[in-house]
PDB file of all heavy atoms in Angstrom:
ATOM      1  N   GLN A  56     121.101  25.962  83.485  1.00 98.00           N
ATOM      2  CA  GLN A  56     121.880  25.239  84.502  1.00 98.00           C
ATOM      3  C   GLN A  56     120.921  24.693  85.557  1.00 98.00           C
ATOM      4  O   GLN A  56     120.293  25.453  86.314  1.00 98.00           O
ATOM      5  CB  GLN A  56     122.907  26.189  85.146  1.00 98.00           C
ATOM      6  CG  GLN A  56     123.808  25.521  86.107  1.00 98.00           C
ATOM      7  CD  GLN A  56     124.921  26.445  86.584  1.00 98.00           C
ATOM      8  OE1 GLN A  56     124.680  27.649  86.769  1.00 98.00           O
ATOM      9  NE2 GLN A  56     126.118  25.973  86.714  1.00 98.00           N
ATOM     10  N   TRP A  64     124.180  24.598  76.754  1.00 96.00           N
ATOM     11  CA  TRP A  64     123.830  25.499  75.693  1.00 96.00           C
ATOM     12  C   TRP A  64     122.532  25.087  75.041  1.00 96.00           C
ATOM     13  O   TRP A  64     122.339  23.896  74.673  1.00 96.00           O
ATOM     14  CB  TRP A  64     124.937  25.553  74.663  1.00 96.00           C
ATOM     15  CG  TRP A  64     124.778  26.493  73.593  1.00 96.00           C
ATOM     16  CD1 TRP A  64     125.054  27.838  73.609  1.00 96.00           C
ATOM     17  CD2 TRP A  64     124.350  26.214  72.236  1.00 96.00           C
ATOM     18  NE1 TRP A  64     124.816  28.388  72.379  1.00 96.00           N
ATOM     19  CE2 TRP A  64     124.366  27.435  71.528  1.00 96.00           C
ATOM     20  CE3 TRP A  64     123.931  25.088  71.563  1.00 96.00           C
ATOM     21  CZ2 TRP A  64     123.987  27.541  70.210  1.00 96.00           C
ATOM     22  CZ3 TRP A  64     123.550  25.152  70.255  1.00 96.00           C
ATOM     23  CH2 TRP A  64     123.561  26.388  69.558  1.00 96.00           C
ATOM     24  N   GLY A 116     133.663  35.110  67.861  1.00 91.00           N
ATOM     25  CA  GLY A 116     134.288  33.800  67.950  1.00 91.00           C
ATOM     26  C   GLY A 116     133.491  32.773  68.762  1.00 91.00           C
ATOM     27  O   GLY A 116     133.936  31.663  68.943  1.00 91.00           O
ATOM     28  N   TRP A 118     132.329  33.147  71.952  1.00 96.00           N
ATOM     29  CA  TRP A 118     132.414  33.232  73.436  1.00 96.00           C
ATOM     30  C   TRP A 118     131.464  34.333  73.931  1.00 96.00           C
ATOM     31  O   TRP A 118     131.127  35.237  73.196  1.00 96.00           O
ATOM     32  CB  TRP A 118     133.834  33.548  73.888  1.00 96.00           C
ATOM     33  CG  TRP A 118     134.504  34.649  73.225  1.00 96.00           C
ATOM     34  CD1 TRP A 118     134.400  35.975  73.548  1.00 96.00           C
ATOM     35  CD2 TRP A 118     135.401  34.545  72.121  1.00 96.00           C
ATOM     36  NE1 TRP A 118     135.200  36.730  72.680  1.00 96.00           N
ATOM     37  CE2 TRP A 118     135.804  35.900  71.792  1.00 96.00           C
ATOM     38  CE3 TRP A 118     135.898  33.529  71.321  1.00 96.00           C
ATOM     39  CZ2 TRP A 118     136.695  36.158  70.763  1.00 96.00           C
ATOM     40  CZ3 TRP A 118     136.735  33.819  70.300  1.00 96.00           C
ATOM     41  CH2 TRP A 118     137.112  35.116  69.986  1.00 96.00           C
ATOM     42  N   SER A 119     131.005  34.171  75.146  1.00 96.00           N
ATOM     43  CA  SER A 119     130.009  35.089  75.723  1.00 96.00           C
ATOM     44  C   SER A 119     130.678  35.967  76.792  1.00 96.00           C
ATOM     45  O   SER A 119     131.156  35.460  77.826  1.00 96.00           O
ATOM     46  CB  SER A 119     128.898  34.295  76.358  1.00 96.00           C
ATOM     47  OG  SER A 119     128.108  33.672  75.349  1.00 96.00           O
TER      48      SER A 119
ATOM     49  N   TYR B  46     135.408  29.852  81.511  1.00 98.00           N
ATOM     50  CA  TYR B  46     134.526  30.683  82.340  1.00 98.00           C
ATOM     51  C   TYR B  46     134.720  30.284  83.808  1.00 98.00           C
ATOM     52  O   TYR B  46     134.985  29.156  84.158  1.00 98.00           O
ATOM     53  CB  TYR B  46     133.046  30.476  81.993  1.00 98.00           C
ATOM     54  CG  TYR B  46     132.696  30.832  80.571  1.00 98.00           C
ATOM     55  CD1 TYR B  46     132.833  29.886  79.538  1.00 98.00           C
ATOM     56  CD2 TYR B  46     132.234  32.100  80.262  1.00 98.00           C
ATOM     57  CE1 TYR B  46     132.568  30.237  78.259  1.00 98.00           C
ATOM     58  CE2 TYR B  46     131.956  32.464  78.930  1.00 98.00           C
ATOM     59  CZ  TYR B  46     132.089  31.510  77.966  1.00 98.00           C
ATOM     60  OH  TYR B  46     131.786  31.842  76.660  1.00 98.00           O
ATOM     61  N   GLN B  48     132.629  30.479  87.536  1.00 98.00           N
ATOM     62  CA  GLN B  48     131.306  30.683  88.058  1.00 98.00           C
ATOM     63  C   GLN B  48     131.344  30.538  89.591  1.00 98.00           C
ATOM     64  O   GLN B  48     131.785  29.478  90.074  1.00 98.00           O
ATOM     65  CB  GLN B  48     130.260  29.764  87.454  1.00 98.00           C
ATOM     66  CG  GLN B  48     128.809  30.090  87.940  1.00 98.00           C
ATOM     67  CD  GLN B  48     127.797  29.187  87.327  1.00 98.00           C
ATOM     68  OE1 GLN B  48     128.018  28.012  87.101  1.00 98.00           O
ATOM     69  NE2 GLN B  48     126.594  29.734  87.104  1.00 98.00           N
ATOM     70  N   TYR B  59     139.416  33.594  76.256  1.00 98.00           N
ATOM     71  CA  TYR B  59     138.775  33.223  74.997  1.00 98.00           C
ATOM     72  C   TYR B  59     139.821  32.876  73.942  1.00 98.00           C
ATOM     73  O   TYR B  59     140.943  33.323  74.060  1.00 98.00           O
ATOM     74  CB  TYR B  59     137.792  34.311  74.512  1.00 98.00           C
ATOM     75  CG  TYR B  59     138.459  35.627  74.221  1.00 98.00           C
ATOM     76  CD1 TYR B  59     138.964  35.942  72.943  1.00 98.00           C
ATOM     77  CD2 TYR B  59     138.623  36.579  75.258  1.00 98.00           C
ATOM     78  CE1 TYR B  59     139.591  37.171  72.687  1.00 98.00           C
ATOM     79  CE2 TYR B  59     139.225  37.791  75.001  1.00 98.00           C
ATOM     80  CZ  TYR B  59     139.700  38.078  73.733  1.00 98.00           C
ATOM     81  OH  TYR B  59     140.346  39.280  73.456  1.00 98.00           O
ATOM     82  N   SER B 101     133.575  26.674  70.980  1.00 96.00           N
ATOM     83  CA  SER B 101     132.675  27.444  70.078  1.00 96.00           C
ATOM     84  C   SER B 101     133.124  27.197  68.626  1.00 96.00           C
ATOM     85  O   SER B 101     133.044  28.055  67.760  1.00 96.00           O
ATOM     86  CB  SER B 101     132.742  28.930  70.403  1.00 96.00           C
ATOM     87  OG  SER B 101     134.058  29.407  70.520  1.00 96.00           O
TER      88      SER B 101
END
Side-chain angles (χ1 to χ4, degrees):
Chain A
Q56 185 173 40
W64 183 81
W118 51 84
S119 291
Chain B
Y46 299 86
Q48 187 180 33
Y59 61 92
S101 52

